[in-house]
């Protein structure tokens, strides 16, 4: 994602992105707003700076920002400083869509690019769709309960939630963390390299010791989702990317549902005390796991993309929000498809502040899975 003598002129890259948005967005509803002339003007300025010798490592890379306030985020500011060009803001859930994780774009409801009758997930809905449809190579997101990883899984793209606290949180509780959606883990490297305060590439010897926890001990997982993810895990083991350790009993966490809701809602007294107990116990279990095993694998979601009426009583966040409570970095990579054509994500979790290692493992895993 860095500039090179052979790179396309920044303005040309941005115009190509805008053309794809114009062609594909009316059917998908990924964008709230598109900054056409402004984006081209910015790209031309980037091109002039680049030719004048000012190093802009992401010169002309078009990207989208999550929601109407995304352009003001720390991540967006740092991408712009590196020469990337924001082309528009993406859809997030509209009013009255509590737990119904679709977005509302300028052309209407945001739809899953694989099946228009299904939601793309959210809340980074439009960002995931924009990347999946090739409108932009990169989009910002934020993840407070799975809001990057869920749409990444359901739209068949790469999604990363960074360690909580590395960048300013949009959530007063600190549960939400900055994230990125991209076509692949390799494409997301530019985000980490230029957005985080420090990022050094790391070599990760393979096979990587890993633990697979298909339900984390409490989630009810759709059998087809479970089968797709298990097959992907087996392929990674066969390819020598991971080495699964036999665990008896299997690794489990306490269900973080009430804890997440208590923290988010500012609970006091007994509810706050119980939330603190569950949080401390899950942190203890995760610390013990990562002290001896660097990688935890789970399905990204317990379910496949639901219809636009919402998920009902099912929590699509069941396997993601534990890591918002604990603060660990976590990513979703494409694992395959269910029989009805819905993408499925494999979630990778590593120790806090190990985004570089997580990205390296994700790249190796995507290569082994044919991405």
């Amino acid at each position: 994602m860095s500039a090179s003598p052979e790179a396309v002129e920044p303005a040309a890259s941005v115009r190509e992105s805008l053309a794809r948005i114009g062609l594909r967005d009316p059917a998908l509803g990924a964008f709230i707003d598109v900054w056409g002339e402004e984006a081209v003007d910015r790209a031309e300025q980037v091109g002039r700076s680049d030719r004048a010798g000012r190093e802009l490592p992401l010169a002309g890379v078009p990207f989208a920002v999550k929601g109407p306030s995304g352009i003001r985020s720390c991540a967006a500011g740092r991408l712009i400083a590196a020469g990337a060009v924001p082309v528009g803001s993406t859809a997030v859930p509209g009013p009255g869509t509590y737990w119904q994780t679709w977005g509302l774009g300028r052309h209407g409801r945001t739809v899953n690019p694989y099946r228009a009758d299904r939601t793309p997930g959210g809340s980074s809905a439009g960002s995931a769709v924009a990347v999946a449809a090739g409108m932009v190579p990169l989009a910002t997101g934020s993840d407070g309960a799975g809001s990057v990883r869920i749409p990444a899984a359901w739209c068949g793209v790469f999604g990363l939630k960074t360690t909580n606290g590395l960048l300013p949180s949009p959530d007063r509780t600190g549960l939400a963390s900055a994230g990125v959606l991209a076509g692949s883990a390799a494409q997301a490297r530019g985000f980490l390299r230029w957005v985080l305060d420090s990022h050094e590439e790391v070599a990760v010897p393979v096979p990587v010791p890993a633990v697979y926890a298909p339900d984390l001990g409490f989630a009810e997982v759709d059998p087809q989702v479970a089968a797709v993810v298990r097959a992907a895990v087996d392929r990674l083991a066969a390819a020598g990317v991971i080495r699964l350790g036999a665990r008896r009993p299997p690794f489990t966490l306490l269900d973080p549902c009430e804890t997440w809701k208590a923290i988010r809602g500012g609970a006091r007294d007994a509810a706050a005390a119980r939330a603190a107990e569950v949080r401390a116990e899950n942190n203890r279990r995760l610390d013990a796991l990562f002290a001896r095993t660097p990688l935890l694998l789970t399905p990204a979601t317990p379910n496949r993309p639901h219809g636009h009426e919402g998920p009902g009583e099912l929590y699509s966040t069941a396997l993601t929000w534990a890591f918002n409570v604990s603060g660990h970095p976590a990513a979703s990579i494409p694992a395959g498809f269910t029989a009805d054509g819905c993408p499925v994500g494999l979630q990778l979790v590593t120790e806090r502040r190990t985004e570089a290692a997580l990205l390296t493992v994700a790249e190796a895993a995507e290569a082994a899975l044919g991405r």
Side-chain angles (χ1 to χ4, degrees):
M1 290 181 64
S2 59
S4 70
E6 296 78 26
V8 177
E9 276 291 306
S13 295
V14 168
R15 287 191 180 96
E16 288 174 7
S17 176
L18 292 169
R20 288 192 292 271
I21 293 170
L23 179 66
R24 298 171 186 171
D25 195 49
L28 296 172
F31 282 86
I32 297 171
D33 198 8
V34 177
W35 308 314
E37 291 185 10
E38 180 181 347
V40 172
D41 288 345
R42 188 189 293 272
E44 289 175 344
Q45 293 172 15
V46 167
R48 288 192 291 271
S49 296
D50 206 38
R51 289 190 295 273
R54 180 187 170 199
E55 280 210 20
L56 293 172
L58 300 182
V61 173
F63 74 100
V65 300
K66 176 184 176 178
S69 61
I71 193 64
R72 299 194 295 272
S73 68
C74 175
R78 292 182 178 183
L79 287 171
I80 291 169
V85 178
V87 296
S89 58
T90 57
V92 293
T97 57
Y98 184 70
W99 290 124
Q100 297 171 318
T101 51
W102 63 83
L104 294 174
R106 60 181 184 155
H107 295 293
R109 184 169 65 189
T110 310
V111 303
N112 191 296
Y114 285 90
R115 286 194 52 166
D117 64 329
R118 305 292 176 91
T119 173
S123 60
S124 304
S127 286
V129 173
V131 170
M135 291 185 269
V136 289
L138 182 75
T140 65
S142 58
D143 189 315
S147 292
V148 165
R149 289 161 288 162
I150 293 169
W154 287 354
C155 292
V157 298
F158 175 81
L160 170 71
K161 178 197 89 70
T162 57
T163 300
N164 293 50
L166 282 186
L167 291 169
S169 174
D171 179 359
R172 59 179 175 76
T173 68
L175 288 170
S177 184
V180 61
L181 295 112
S184 68
Q187 287 180 304
R189 279 202 177 275
F191 178 89
L192 286 182
R193 186 177 295 120
W194 306 112
V195 168
L196 298 185
D197 288 328
S198 61
H199 175 76
E200 295 183 5
E201 306 297 334
V202 295
V204 178
V206 294
V208 180
V211 165
Y212 177 50
D215 58 10
L216 286 175
F218 56 81
E220 294 184 14
V221 181
D222 179 320
Q224 282 204 37
V225 170
V228 170
V229 173
R230 180 72 228 198
V233 170
D234 289 344
R235 288 173 62 191
L236 294 182
V241 174
I242 63 170
R243 183 178 70 251
L244 290 175
R247 288 193 59 83
R248 298 290 185 271
F251 178 75
T252 63
L253 293 175
L254 301 178
D255 188 343
C257 176
E258 296 305 318
T259 297
W260 186 94
K261 290 194 286 187
I263 296 170
R264 186 65 178 268
R268 298 176 181 271
D269 304 325
R274 174 57 181 161
E277 289 175 4
V278 171
R279 190 177 207 174
E281 175 58 22
N282 278 351
N283 281 345
R284 185 192 68 77
R285 296 184 189 187
L286 286 164
D287 289 345
L289 172 70
F290 289 124
R292 59 182 180 270
T293 307
L295 181 64
L296 173 63
L297 302 171
T298 79
T301 66
N303 53 333
R304 68 191 83 182
H306 54 73
H308 291 284
E309 72 282 356
E313 298 300 315
L314 184 66
Y315 284 102
S316 305
T317 54
L319 295 166
T320 51
W321 53 5
F323 308 110
N324 296 90
V325 174
S326 71
H328 289 80
S332 176
I333 66 171
F337 295 83
T338 54
D340 57 353
C342 292
V344 174
L346 168 63
Q347 181 172 222
L348 292 72
V349 188
T350 58
E351 183 57 281
R352 298 176 188 90
R353 296 180 178 270
T354 59
E355 280 78 5
L358 176 54
L359 210 61
T360 299
V361 175
E363 285 189 52
E366 286 181 339
L369 295 175
R371 291 289 297 179

